[in-house]
Amino acid sequence: AQSVTQLGSHVSVSEGALVLLRCNYSSSVPPYLFWYVQYPNQGLQLLLKYTSAATLVKGINGFEAEFKKSETSFHLTKPSAHMSDAAEYFCAVSEEAAGNKLTFGGGTRVLVKP
Amino acid sequence: EAGVAQSPRYKIIEKRQSVAFWCNPISGHATLYWYQQILGQGPKLLIQFQNNGVVDDSQLPKDRFSAERLKGVDSTLKIQPAKLEDSAVYLCASSSPGGANVLTFGAGSRLTVL
């Protein structure tokens, strides 16, 4: 069974500082991994996805994530936070054998301080 | 391309009343999902359709929740009777089948049960 754990339900960063959001997954087969962002009163928007190609994945808005199989991790980073990055971020895993449905982590809310 | 459409965006009802949510997926997307997102949590899959057939409804509380996708396009999610714990955002998503398919989400329908 697939599952996702996001460490830290809230993260506070200063504008211009590094953003690091942690995600660990559990999957019985090589997974597909995703990061989604959710702004207030909106649906989820895809930031990036890992599909067994390059382990370092670049996404929109300057975000990137690195797949580390040995650590079963897929942490999300951005070198320099912007005020517009304030949102909730969800890590998710899917498996073809499970019908490609997404299983989400609990989410991490990012607050950006000026 | 048009996104995933959902309505209503907001609904407030008394407990034991009924409510229905509607979703129109992206044209050509065969797979449709309904997720429940309780405040402060990640989305949880309720039901997955492939065309008009159910792929996974293992997490759907079938004593009060029902969903249909009669012509393989639009879908309706119904709750009857509603309980206080059903207060949540109901997210509809759609995708094309196969591989690391990316889910595209609608803006969601926020339900408040009083």
Side-chain angles (χ1 to χ4, degrees):
Chain A
Q2 55 193 36
S3 66
V4 175
T5 301
Q6 291 184 240
L7 297 178
S9 59
H10 292 80
V11 167
S12 181
V13 299
S14 297
E15 191 172 20
L18 171 72
V19 179
L20 170 61
L21 305 182
R22 299 180 186 275
C23 171
N24 288 88
Y25 69 91
S26 171
S27 174
S28 57
V29 298
Y32 301 129
L33 294 160
F34 305 80
W35 276 98
Y36 280 82
V37 61
Q38 186 175 37
Y39 298 101
N41 298 315
Q42 295 186 26
L44 283 77
Q45 178 185 358
L46 180 70
L47 275 179
L48 49 80
K49 64 178 181 180
Y50 166 75
T51 60
S52 75
T55 56
L56 183 62
V57 182
K58 294 188 183 298
I60 62 172
N61 301 339
F63 284 93
E64 63 181 36
E66 186 172 11
F67 172 67
K68 291 187 177 181
K69 184 178 179 180
S70 61
E71 299 178 6
T72 60
S73 69
F74 191 57
H75 302 331
L76 181 71
T77 60
K78 181 174 181 177
S80 177
H82 190 272
M83 296 299 291
S84 61
D85 295 327
E88 190 151 22
Y89 294 79
F90 293 94
C91 183
V93 62
S94 75
E95 300 172 6
E96 272 195 84
N100 284 317
K101 63 174 186 259
L102 286 180
T103 298
F104 287 89
T108 299
R109 184 169 297 279
V110 173
L111 172 65
V112 182
K113 299 177 293 185
Chain B
E1 97 188 325
V4 177
Q6 291 189 246
S7 68
R9 286 295 314 275
Y10 305 92
K11 188 74 176 179
I12 300 174
I13 61 173
E14 301 278 339
K15 60 183 179 183
R16 291 188 289 274
Q17 287 186 322
S18 63
V19 63
F21 302 112
W22 172 82
C23 173
N24 180 243
I26 290 176
S27 178
H29 279 192
T31 311
L32 185 147
Y33 310 78
W34 283 102
Y35 281 83
Q36 179 192 56
Q37 186 178 18
I38 293 173
L39 186 64
Q41 299 181 20
K44 182 186 80 172
L45 179 70
L46 291 175
I47 189 167
Q48 176 184 353
F49 291 95
Q50 180 77 14
N51 296 308
N52 61 348
V54 176
V55 174
D56 184 349
D57 63 356
S58 58
Q59 298 298 307
L60 187 74
K62 298 180 185 64
D63 58 334
R64 298 181 301 104
F65 285 66
S66 65
E68 60 183 12
R69 195 184 183 199
L70 291 176
K71 297 182 179 179
V73 181
D74 293 4
S75 177
T76 302
L77 176 70
K78 296 180 181 178
I79 308 173
Q80 180 179 12
K83 293 186 174 181
L84 297 177
E85 59 261 38
D86 298 332
S87 293
V89 176
Y90 291 87
L91 294 165
C92 180
S94 67
S95 70
S96 297
N101 55 303
V102 174
L103 274 63
T104 302
F105 285 83
S109 294
R110 181 180 297 276
L111 173 66
T112 302
V113 182
L114 302 176

